[in-house]
Amino acid sequence: MKRRNTELLQNGRNLSVWSSFWRFPIVWMIAGAVGIILIEAFFRQLAERAEGTVSLIFTLVMGFLSILVYKLTMTYLARRSAPEISGQCAGIDAVLGVLTGTVFITGSAVIIMALGGYSFQWASSADTSSVLISCIGTALGAAIVEELIFRGLMFQAMDKMGGRPLALAVTSLFFGVAHLGNSGATLWSAFAIVLEAGVLLGAAFLWRRNLWFTMGLHFAWNAIEGLLGLPVSGHSAAGLFTVEVNGDALLTGGEFGLEGSIVPVVVSLLISIPMLIGAARKRGDEVGNLPVSK
């Protein structure tokens, strides 16, 4: 009997160690990211071989499964709820994100155009429906996967380990580094991505505390760039317009596209700072409303 109790105690300790291992932030972050990346890689191959709406359907299925993997990772590995992907107000936040991203990218492009950096002309030979489906599918897939990994898994893991400032700094830095391998990328473009994308999307997540808003913003960002015929983080896009680029790369972004320009960096900071202030105030209100022990 004593031996059996000892074995049960040892098994309990082993299970506790195993459970603690999976609950360590870096471990569940990597496990979730690998699962999402594998799903994205598989369905991206299917989407590239398909045409029209079938390709878009594959992207939607990929997005659904990626969100499911994220939810399972948070529930069974991190052992926490995932209110950031709650269905409550998901539509409203996604639409707000899309509007924010549209204003950000369109406004940046208009400023560059006013400064003589861009001139747009309608691409009469473009197949409108094909371009729309391609831009929407590509932008949607990137927005879902990248936000789940960076603002979802990585941000939450870093927040757990060192707080929100560390989470914002680490995710922004890694987001910039992740784009260094893209066509036309430079150290400046990577730094620009850190500020205009990493900080902006991180601030958006802190402000709204859900991934639907950041997905919407990220989706509109990439989709609008593609539709305008501008390179999306160095990836060429066959949009609805042809673009003539004039002037210094610091203004136009050069081969990397609009994201390599100083203009969206400045505009993004004008958006990010109020978001961060709003997030800090909301955080302060939450702390202030905590019950005081007696």
Side-chain angles (χ1 to χ4, degrees):
M1 185 70 178
K2 184 177 180 180
R3 181 180 178 183
R4 180 174 176 79
N5 289 337
T6 302
E7 290 177 352
L8 290 173
L9 182 61
Q10 184 62 41
N11 290 335
R13 287 174 179 171
N14 291 338
L15 287 173
S16 178
V17 171
W18 188 242
S19 177
S20 297
F21 170 77
W22 286 110
R23 291 186 67 180
F24 187 66
I26 297 296
V27 174
W28 55 254
M29 178 190 78
I30 293 174
V34 168
I36 291 170
I37 290 170
L38 289 175
I39 289 172
E40 189 273 339
F42 176 74
F43 278 94
R44 176 160 39 88
Q45 294 294 326
L46 296 178
E48 289 175 352
R49 295 174 185 174
E51 296 181 357
T53 54
V54 176
S55 174
L56 188 57
I57 289 171
F58 279 134
T59 300
L60 290 172
V61 173
M62 180 276 295
F64 172 78
L65 292 176
S66 296
I67 292 172
L68 180 60
V69 167
Y70 178 87
K71 174 68 174 176
L72 293 173
T73 299
M74 289 302 187
T75 302
Y76 295 104
L77 296 185
R79 299 295 180 89
R80 61 178 288 273
S81 59
E84 63 274 10
I85 55 168
S86 169
Q88 186 177 7
C89 298
I92 294 174
D93 278 303
V95 170
L96 286 174
V98 168
L99 291 175
T100 304
T102 300
V103 170
F104 168 49
I105 294 301
T106 304
S108 297
V110 168
I111 292 171
I112 296 173
M113 184 171 63
L115 294 173
Y118 293 157
S119 60
F120 295 93
Q121 185 174 359
W122 181 261
S124 56
S125 61
D127 183 342
T128 303
S129 61
S130 176
V131 170
L132 284 171
I133 291 174
S134 175
C135 287
I136 290 172
T138 303
L140 186 62
I144 293 173
V145 169
E146 292 180 16
E147 291 312 305
L148 288 174
I149 292 175
F150 285 95
R151 257 60 60 182
L153 294 166
M154 185 180 291
F155 196 102
Q156 313 264 12
M158 294 299 105
D159 187 9
K160 184 80 172 175
M161 295 178 68
R164 294 179 177 184
L166 176 67
L168 182 61
V170 170
T171 53
S172 298
L173 180 61
F174 270 84
F175 203 63
V177 170
H179 288 76
L180 264 176
N182 293 8
S183 177
T186 62
L187 288 176
W188 159 252
S189 70
F191 179 67
I193 288 289
V194 168
L195 293 178
E196 70 194 10
V199 173
L200 175 59
L201 291 166
F205 178 70
L206 285 172
W207 180 49
R208 300 300 298 180
R209 294 308 296 174
N210 72 75
L211 291 172
W212 304 116
F213 183 78
T214 62
M215 286 179 187
L217 197 163
H218 198 150
F219 163 74
W221 179 327
N222 287 5
I224 296 298
E225 281 186 325
L227 292 172
L228 290 175
L230 295 167
V232 182
S233 302
H235 300 291
S236 60
L240 298 175
F241 298 87
T242 56
V243 188
E244 183 178 337
V245 179
N246 303 290
D248 192 271
L250 188 62
L251 172 65
T252 66
E255 294 181 10
F256 193 72
L258 182 142
E259 294 159 27
S261 166
I262 187 67
V263 173
V265 172
V266 174
V267 174
S268 71
L269 291 176
L270 294 176
I271 300 173
S272 300
I273 292 172
M275 286 183 176
L276 290 172
I277 293 172
R281 286 177 176 171
K282 188 181 294 185
R283 178 73 169 175
D285 291 341
E286 290 173 356
V287 173
N289 291 330
L290 290 174
V292 179
S293 58
K294 296 182 179 180

